[in-house]
Amino acid sequence: MSDTEDPIKPWGGRFNETTDAFVERFTASIEFDKRLYHHDIDGSIAHARMLHKTGILDSDEEQQIIDGLESIRADIAANKFQWSVALEDVHMNIEAALTERIGATGKKLHTGRSRNDQIATDIRLYVRDEIDEMATSLTDLQSALLGLAEREADTIMPGFTHLQTAQPVTFGHHLMAWFEMLDRDYSRLIDCRKRVNLSPLGAAALAGTGFPIDREYTASLLGFDMPTGNSLDSVSDRDFAIELAAFASLLMTHLSRFSEELVLWTSAQFDFVELPDRFCTGSSIMPQKKNPDVPELVRGKTGRIYGHLISLLTLMKSQPLAYNKDNQEDKEPLFDMIDTVKDCLKAYIELLPAIVAKKDNMYQAALKGYATATDLADYLVNKGLPFRDAHEVVGTAVAAAIEKNQALTDFSLAELQAFSALVTEDVFEILALEGSVAARNHIGGTAPNQVRAAIEIAKKNLAHR
Ligand code: ARG
């Protein structure tokens, strides 16, 4: 060891100068990767147990290492651990502390592994835990939606295309559309978990190790389904993080769409729903304001999740095999992404059950905009008129109603018969909103009994998760 060498660095042996202070700060990841300490210690304990099983450590050494790591874990949890930037990352901070605490045995822990398979293992363990938490939250959010949809299965509102009144639907039906989006998110998340839950431990730096390791044993100790394959791929693969970011991006797209609708619906112009005061804020200048900040922020935070997806994709696109220091840049996007998604899910889990539908306003809005014009056309088709002709007749009737600034139901029977002789007294049932929604009585339709059937199926599916 030369006297200019920084003695603290575990890799200091081949260096003749101390690290430049800026470079030390620039290359360190400890500020953000320290949050992986639990997973790092779990991985190290599994590795130590394996080293004992294969005869590399004796049982006394194994026990000293495990006890040392547990005491470090306790100190970190109690905020009593001194992190050092000079020790670069979570792995070297913990390893150095171990040797400080238990002496030379601590130096044996790194036998047959590298920080490259260590970090790959840590992130997978961390991501797996977070996936499980997000899966539970998604299920809670979906249950909240089912509760609300059940309550609103008969509530009539206008359905929109192009944000123009199209046909009446039920609010329960609209909420079940949200449910379906989240259902796909859930299945993407669970599918991603399969590719996360593999153990890279034992791939070592890139080529594997000459020590007699037992990769299946460490994999099973850590709850992984099995070891990863090819060692080069094992240390360099971050596909699972990108997949998670793709899941998160789509989930946020959905939450952002919900948010957009809530923002529109709480405006004076729509006035369809009321959000609880505790989820809104006021204006410092306009006393009447109640702003839907929480949905707006969820919508706003979507952008940074997309950003993280692009960051991670770009991070990987030019990396030659195997591990490169670039990979250290995967952590901040990943952490922020997971923290943000969890907050947004939490916001929605609490917000949704507290939404109050203003049923009367929804109903009045559905009466406007000729929402049952299609029903009238279908009615004429059922009486034998070809659909295109029926469309034409109803178009003329709607134009006449617009001209008179009235609803289709304001026409008398005789006036409607002037548009088509096929019209009879029963037309008024067809033009009613209730008749319109009840008529869409098939799988996936808006009829209240179909909405209830969809809710029942969804409840069963959630119960089987
Ligand atoms: N801090 C590094 C990372 O986050 C750990 C692995 C470092 N390996 C290395 N050979 N420099 O990726």
Side-chain angles (χ1 to χ4, degrees), residues 238-257:
R238 295 293 183 272
D239 290 2
F240 63 89
I242 296 173
E243 279 188 50
L244 190 69
F247 147 82
S249 296
L250 266 170
L251 168 63
M252 290 302 293
T253 303
H254 297 148
L255 297 182
S256 182
R257 294 182 70 183

Side-chain angles (χ1 to χ4, degrees), residues 11 27-30 32-33 36 88-91 114-120 123 238 323-331:
W11 41 252
T27 54
S29 53
I30 190 61
F32 47 85
D33 69 12
L36 293 172
E88 202 177 314
D89 56 26
V90 65
H91 324 297
S114 150
R115 280 186 294 152
N116 298 351
D117 60 342
Q118 199 178 346
I119 186 62
I123 315 178
R238 295 293 183 272
Y323 176 87
N324 301 282
K325 187 75 168 179
D326 312 42
N327 280 355
Q328 186 162 292
E329 285 291 305
D330 63 359
K331 283 163 209 66

